[in-house]
């Protein structure tokens, strides 16, 4: 049973920073593309950032220049560092693991609220 466990969400003021973390297994973090997605109330789930098994990163336009995805294979963790947060970043953030030909896995989500 694959488990993805997110942590690090919370309430932050506009302009502030948060670090989200996602813990998983060695096989998943080494062999899968890991991603962060988010879903705001009434909105579609959208990709925020991803990192492939070879370490290549990809960002949504809204995340470029403000968010950074990284991974620590030894700790079996993926991170999303979010800076210059805005109210429209408010959403539930989900960790995701996918690989062609294999099931896609999701974490339970962590809430991020950006508000003064």
């Amino acid at each position: 049973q694959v488990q993805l466990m997110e942590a690090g969400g919370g309430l932050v003021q506009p302009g502030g920073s948060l670090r989200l973390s996602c813990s998983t297994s060695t096989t998943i973090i080494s062999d899968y593309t890991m991603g962060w997605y988010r879903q705001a109330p009434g909105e579609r789930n959208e990709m925020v950032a991803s990192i492939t098994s070879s370490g290549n990163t990809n960002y949504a336009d809204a995340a470029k220049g403000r968010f950074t995805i990284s991974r620590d294979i030894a700790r079996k963790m993926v991170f999303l560092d979010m800076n210059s947060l805005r109210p429209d970043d408010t959403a539930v953030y989900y960790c995701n693991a996918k690989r062609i030909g294999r099931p896609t896995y999701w974490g339970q989500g962590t809430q991020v609220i950006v508000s003064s």
Side-chain angles (χ1 to χ4, degrees), residues 62-77:
K64 288 177 181 177
R66 299 188 301 128
F67 294 2
T68 302
I69 188 170
S70 60
R71 63 181 180 172
D72 186 330
I73 294 176
R75 295 172 62 191
K76 298 175 284 187
M77 298 184 75

Side-chain angles (χ1 to χ4, degrees), residues 5 24 26 41 43-44 49 60 64 70-71 79 82 86 90 93 100-101 106 116:
M5 299 291 292
T24 182
T26 302
E43 301 290 333
R44 296 174 59 184
K64 288 177 181 177
S70 60
R71 63 181 180 172
F79 304 98
M82 304 188 292
R86 310 184 299 228
T90 296
Y93 284 71
I100 294 174
W106 294 89
S116 55

Side-chain angles (χ1 to χ4, degrees), residues 16-59:
S17 300
L18 277 178
R19 167 174 262 207
L20 305 183
S21 64
C22 172
S23 61
T24 182
S25 67
T26 302
T27 299
I28 293 296
I29 200 167
S30 298
D31 298 343
Y32 282 60
T33 292
M34 303 298 298
W36 286 96
Y37 287 68
R38 68 186 183 185
Q39 187 165 20
E43 301 290 333
R44 296 174 59 184
N45 193 7
E46 62 176 359
M47 191 277 288
V48 177
S50 65
I51 183 166
T52 68
S53 58
S54 57
N56 295 317
T57 58
N58 185 40
Y59 295 92

Side-chain angles (χ1 to χ4, degrees), residues 96-108:
N96 165 281
K98 59 182 179 181
R99 182 180 178 184
I100 294 174
R102 304 291 178 88
T104 295
Y105 302 103
W106 294 89
Q108 81 288 354

